Short mmCIF file of all heavy atoms in Angstrom, two decimals:
data_model
loop_
_atom_site.label_atom_id
_atom_site.label_comp_id
_atom_site.label_asym_id
_atom_site.label_seq_id
_atom_site.Cartn_x
_atom_site.Cartn_y
_atom_site.Cartn_z
N CYS A 1 -3.28 -2.27 -7.64
CA CYS A 1 -3.46 -2.94 -6.35
C CYS A 1 -3.24 -1.97 -5.20
O CYS A 1 -4.02 -1.91 -4.24
CB CYS A 1 -2.50 -4.12 -6.22
SG CYS A 1 -2.90 -5.54 -7.27
N ALA A 2 -2.17 -1.17 -5.30
CA ALA A 2 -1.90 -0.18 -4.26
C ALA A 2 -2.99 0.88 -4.21
O ALA A 2 -3.39 1.33 -3.13
CB ALA A 2 -0.54 0.46 -4.49
N ALA A 3 -3.48 1.28 -5.39
CA ALA A 3 -4.53 2.30 -5.43
C ALA A 3 -5.80 1.82 -4.74
O ALA A 3 -6.45 2.56 -4.00
CB ALA A 3 -4.83 2.68 -6.87
N ILE A 4 -6.15 0.55 -4.97
CA ILE A 4 -7.39 0.02 -4.39
C ILE A 4 -7.31 -0.04 -2.88
O ILE A 4 -8.29 0.24 -2.19
CB ILE A 4 -7.69 -1.37 -5.00
CG1 ILE A 4 -8.27 -1.18 -6.41
CG2 ILE A 4 -8.66 -2.17 -4.14
CD1 ILE A 4 -8.49 -2.44 -7.17
N VAL A 5 -6.14 -0.38 -2.32
CA VAL A 5 -6.05 -0.49 -0.86
C VAL A 5 -5.66 0.82 -0.19
O VAL A 5 -5.69 0.91 1.04
CB VAL A 5 -5.06 -1.60 -0.45
CG1 VAL A 5 -5.45 -2.93 -1.06
CG2 VAL A 5 -3.62 -1.24 -0.80
N SER A 6 -5.28 1.83 -0.96
CA SER A 6 -4.77 3.06 -0.36
C SER A 6 -5.79 3.72 0.57
O SER A 6 -5.42 4.29 1.59
CB SER A 6 -4.34 4.04 -1.45
OG SER A 6 -5.44 4.42 -2.27
N GLY A 7 -7.05 3.64 0.22
CA GLY A 7 -8.08 4.23 1.07
C GLY A 7 -8.31 3.48 2.36
O GLY A 7 -8.99 4.00 3.27
N LEU A 8 -7.78 2.27 2.47
CA LEU A 8 -7.96 1.48 3.68
C LEU A 8 -6.94 1.83 4.76
O LEU A 8 -7.07 1.39 5.90
CB LEU A 8 -7.84 -0.02 3.34
CG LEU A 8 -8.93 -0.59 2.44
CD1 LEU A 8 -8.57 -2.00 2.01
CD2 LEU A 8 -10.27 -0.59 3.16
N VAL A 9 -5.92 2.60 4.41
CA VAL A 9 -4.94 3.05 5.39
C VAL A 9 -5.57 4.18 6.20
O VAL A 9 -6.23 5.06 5.66
CB VAL A 9 -3.66 3.53 4.71
CG1 VAL A 9 -2.64 4.03 5.73
CG2 VAL A 9 -3.05 2.42 3.86
N GLY A 10 -5.37 4.16 7.50
CA GLY A 10 -5.94 5.21 8.36
C GLY A 10 -5.46 6.59 7.95
O GLY A 10 -4.32 6.76 7.52
N PRO A 11 -6.31 7.62 8.08
CA PRO A 11 -5.97 8.96 7.60
C PRO A 11 -4.82 9.62 8.35
O PRO A 11 -4.18 10.53 7.82
CB PRO A 11 -7.28 9.76 7.81
CG PRO A 11 -8.00 9.01 8.89
CD PRO A 11 -7.67 7.57 8.68
N ASP A 12 -4.53 9.17 9.56
CA ASP A 12 -3.46 9.78 10.35
C ASP A 12 -2.16 8.98 10.31
O ASP A 12 -1.21 9.29 11.04
CB ASP A 12 -3.91 9.94 11.81
CG ASP A 12 -5.13 10.84 11.92
OD1 ASP A 12 -5.22 11.82 11.16
OD2 ASP A 12 -5.99 10.57 12.78
N ALA A 13 -2.10 7.95 9.47
CA ALA A 13 -0.88 7.14 9.39
C ALA A 13 0.30 8.00 8.94
O ALA A 13 0.15 8.82 8.02
CB ALA A 13 -1.08 5.98 8.43
N PRO A 14 1.46 7.83 9.55
CA PRO A 14 2.65 8.58 9.10
C PRO A 14 2.95 8.29 7.64
O PRO A 14 2.79 7.15 7.18
CB PRO A 14 3.76 8.05 10.02
CG PRO A 14 3.06 7.48 11.21
CD PRO A 14 1.76 6.95 10.69
N ASP A 15 3.40 9.29 6.90
CA ASP A 15 3.67 9.13 5.47
C ASP A 15 4.65 7.99 5.19
O ASP A 15 4.47 7.21 4.25
CB ASP A 15 4.22 10.42 4.88
CG ASP A 15 3.13 11.24 4.20
OD1 ASP A 15 1.95 10.85 4.30
OD2 ASP A 15 3.47 12.25 3.57
N LYS A 16 5.69 7.88 6.01
CA LYS A 16 6.71 6.85 5.78
C LYS A 16 6.09 5.47 5.80
O LYS A 16 6.30 4.65 4.90
CB LYS A 16 7.80 6.97 6.83
CG LYS A 16 8.88 5.88 6.74
CD LYS A 16 9.92 6.07 7.83
CE LYS A 16 10.98 4.98 7.78
NZ LYS A 16 10.42 3.65 8.13
N GLU A 17 5.32 5.18 6.84
CA GLU A 17 4.72 3.86 6.98
C GLU A 17 3.59 3.64 5.98
O GLU A 17 3.39 2.53 5.47
CB GLU A 17 4.21 3.66 8.41
CG GLU A 17 5.29 3.30 9.41
CD GLU A 17 6.20 4.47 9.78
OE1 GLU A 17 5.79 5.63 9.56
OE2 GLU A 17 7.31 4.22 10.29
N ARG A 18 2.83 4.70 5.68
CA ARG A 18 1.76 4.58 4.69
C ARG A 18 2.33 4.13 3.34
O ARG A 18 1.84 3.19 2.72
CB ARG A 18 1.05 5.93 4.52
CG ARG A 18 -0.01 5.94 3.39
CD ARG A 18 -0.46 7.36 3.10
NE ARG A 18 -1.03 7.98 4.27
CZ ARG A 18 -2.29 7.83 4.66
NH1 ARG A 18 -3.13 7.09 3.95
NH2 ARG A 18 -2.75 8.44 5.74
N TRP A 19 3.38 4.81 2.90
CA TRP A 19 3.91 4.52 1.57
C TRP A 19 4.71 3.23 1.54
O TRP A 19 4.78 2.56 0.50
CB TRP A 19 4.72 5.70 1.06
CG TRP A 19 3.81 6.81 0.61
CD1 TRP A 19 3.50 7.95 1.27
CD2 TRP A 19 3.03 6.81 -0.59
NE1 TRP A 19 2.58 8.68 0.56
CE2 TRP A 19 2.27 8.01 -0.59
CE3 TRP A 19 2.90 5.94 -1.67
CZ2 TRP A 19 1.41 8.35 -1.63
CZ3 TRP A 19 2.04 6.29 -2.70
CH2 TRP A 19 1.31 7.47 -2.67
N GLU A 20 5.29 2.84 2.64
CA GLU A 20 5.95 1.52 2.67
C GLU A 20 4.90 0.41 2.56
O GLU A 20 5.11 -0.58 1.86
CB GLU A 20 6.77 1.34 3.95
CG GLU A 20 7.51 0.02 3.96
CD GLU A 20 8.49 -0.12 5.11
OE1 GLU A 20 8.83 0.91 5.75
OE2 GLU A 20 8.94 -1.25 5.37
N THR A 21 3.77 0.59 3.24
CA THR A 21 2.68 -0.39 3.15
C THR A 21 2.19 -0.51 1.71
O THR A 21 1.98 -1.62 1.20
CB THR A 21 1.51 0.03 4.06
OG1 THR A 21 1.97 0.03 5.44
CG2 THR A 21 0.34 -0.92 3.93
N LEU A 22 2.02 0.62 1.02
CA LEU A 22 1.55 0.59 -0.36
C LEU A 22 2.62 0.04 -1.30
O LEU A 22 2.28 -0.62 -2.30
CB LEU A 22 1.13 2.00 -0.80
CG LEU A 22 -0.06 2.59 -0.03
CD1 LEU A 22 -0.39 3.99 -0.54
CD2 LEU A 22 -1.28 1.69 -0.13
N TRP A 23 3.90 0.27 -0.99
CA TRP A 23 4.98 -0.27 -1.83
C TRP A 23 4.93 -1.79 -1.88
O TRP A 23 5.17 -2.40 -2.91
CB TRP A 23 6.32 0.21 -1.30
CG TRP A 23 7.51 -0.27 -2.08
CD1 TRP A 23 8.43 -1.19 -1.69
CD2 TRP A 23 7.89 0.14 -3.40
NE1 TRP A 23 9.38 -1.39 -2.66
CE2 TRP A 23 9.07 -0.57 -3.73
CE3 TRP A 23 7.37 1.04 -4.32
CZ2 TRP A 23 9.72 -0.42 -4.95
CZ3 TRP A 23 8.02 1.19 -5.55
CH2 TRP A 23 9.17 0.47 -5.84
N HIS A 24 4.60 -2.41 -0.76
CA HIS A 24 4.49 -3.87 -0.74
C HIS A 24 3.45 -4.34 -1.77
O HIS A 24 3.64 -5.36 -2.45
CB HIS A 24 4.07 -4.35 0.65
CG HIS A 24 5.04 -3.98 1.73
ND1 HIS A 24 4.69 -3.97 3.07
CD2 HIS A 24 6.35 -3.59 1.67
CE1 HIS A 24 5.75 -3.61 3.78
NE2 HIS A 24 6.75 -3.36 2.97
N TYR A 25 2.38 -3.58 -1.90
CA TYR A 25 1.34 -3.96 -2.86
C TYR A 25 1.78 -3.71 -4.30
O TYR A 25 1.44 -4.44 -5.21
CB TYR A 25 0.04 -3.20 -2.55
CG TYR A 25 -0.79 -3.94 -1.53
CD1 TYR A 25 -0.58 -3.77 -0.18
CD2 TYR A 25 -1.74 -4.87 -1.93
CE1 TYR A 25 -1.29 -4.49 0.75
CE2 TYR A 25 -2.47 -5.59 -1.01
CZ TYR A 25 -2.24 -5.39 0.33
OH TYR A 25 -2.95 -6.12 1.25
N MET A 26 2.56 -2.67 -4.49
CA MET A 26 3.06 -2.38 -5.84
C MET A 26 3.99 -3.46 -6.35
O MET A 26 4.20 -3.60 -7.55
CB MET A 26 3.78 -1.02 -5.84
CG MET A 26 2.88 0.16 -5.56
SD MET A 26 3.83 1.71 -5.58
CE MET A 26 2.65 2.85 -4.85
N GLN A 27 4.57 -4.25 -5.45
CA GLN A 27 5.54 -5.27 -5.83
C GLN A 27 4.93 -6.65 -6.01
O GLN A 27 5.65 -7.60 -6.30
CB GLN A 27 6.64 -5.35 -4.77
CG GLN A 27 7.52 -4.11 -4.71
CD GLN A 27 8.66 -4.28 -3.72
OE1 GLN A 27 8.45 -4.72 -2.60
NE2 GLN A 27 9.86 -3.96 -4.14
N GLY A 28 3.65 -6.80 -5.83
CA GLY A 28 3.02 -8.11 -5.93
C GLY A 28 3.08 -8.70 -7.33
O GLY A 28 3.11 -7.98 -8.34
N GLY A 29 3.13 -10.03 -7.42
CA GLY A 29 3.17 -10.71 -8.70
C GLY A 29 1.84 -10.59 -9.44
O GLY A 29 0.79 -10.35 -8.84
N PRO A 30 1.85 -10.76 -10.77
CA PRO A 30 0.63 -10.64 -11.57
C PRO A 30 -0.46 -11.62 -11.10
O PRO A 30 -0.21 -12.82 -11.00
CB PRO A 30 1.10 -10.99 -12.99
CG PRO A 30 2.57 -10.75 -12.98
CD PRO A 30 3.03 -11.07 -11.60
N GLY A 31 -1.62 -11.08 -10.79
CA GLY A 31 -2.76 -11.90 -10.44
C GLY A 31 -2.77 -12.45 -9.03
O GLY A 31 -3.71 -13.14 -8.64
N VAL A 32 -1.73 -12.15 -8.22
CA VAL A 32 -1.64 -12.73 -6.88
C VAL A 32 -2.67 -12.11 -5.94
O VAL A 32 -3.36 -12.82 -5.19
CB VAL A 32 -0.21 -12.59 -6.32
CG1 VAL A 32 -0.16 -13.04 -4.86
CG2 VAL A 32 0.75 -13.41 -7.15
N PHE A 33 -2.78 -10.79 -5.94
CA PHE A 33 -3.78 -10.13 -5.09
C PHE A 33 -5.19 -10.62 -5.46
O PHE A 33 -6.00 -10.95 -4.60
CB PHE A 33 -3.66 -8.62 -5.26
CG PHE A 33 -4.52 -7.81 -4.31
CD1 PHE A 33 -4.85 -8.27 -3.07
CD2 PHE A 33 -4.97 -6.55 -4.69
CE1 PHE A 33 -5.64 -7.51 -2.20
CE2 PHE A 33 -5.75 -5.78 -3.85
CZ PHE A 33 -6.08 -6.27 -2.59
N LYS A 34 -5.46 -10.71 -6.74
CA LYS A 34 -6.76 -11.20 -7.19
C LYS A 34 -6.99 -12.63 -6.71
O LYS A 34 -8.09 -12.99 -6.25
CB LYS A 34 -6.84 -11.14 -8.72
CG LYS A 34 -8.16 -11.63 -9.28
CD LYS A 34 -8.16 -11.62 -10.80
CE LYS A 34 -9.47 -12.16 -11.37
NZ LYS A 34 -9.44 -12.22 -12.84
#
């Protein structure tokens, strides 16, 4: 889930905020994003 949305983050986003945004996706329940 995080991999699929990772390209949607702007290229100049600070690393801290970029990876916190992706961490939220890594924590999603099974099948919830789908």
Side-chain angles (χ1 to χ4, degrees):
C1 288
I4 283 175
V5 303
S6 62
L8 295 171
V9 179
D12 299 324
D15 262 7
K16 176 180 179 293
E17 280 74 19
R18 174 192 301 276
W19 284 102
E20 183 172 345
T21 297
L22 296 180
W23 180 251
H24 300 161
Y25 273 86
M26 294 180 193
Q27 292 185 312
V32 173
F33 187 29
K34 180 183 178 183

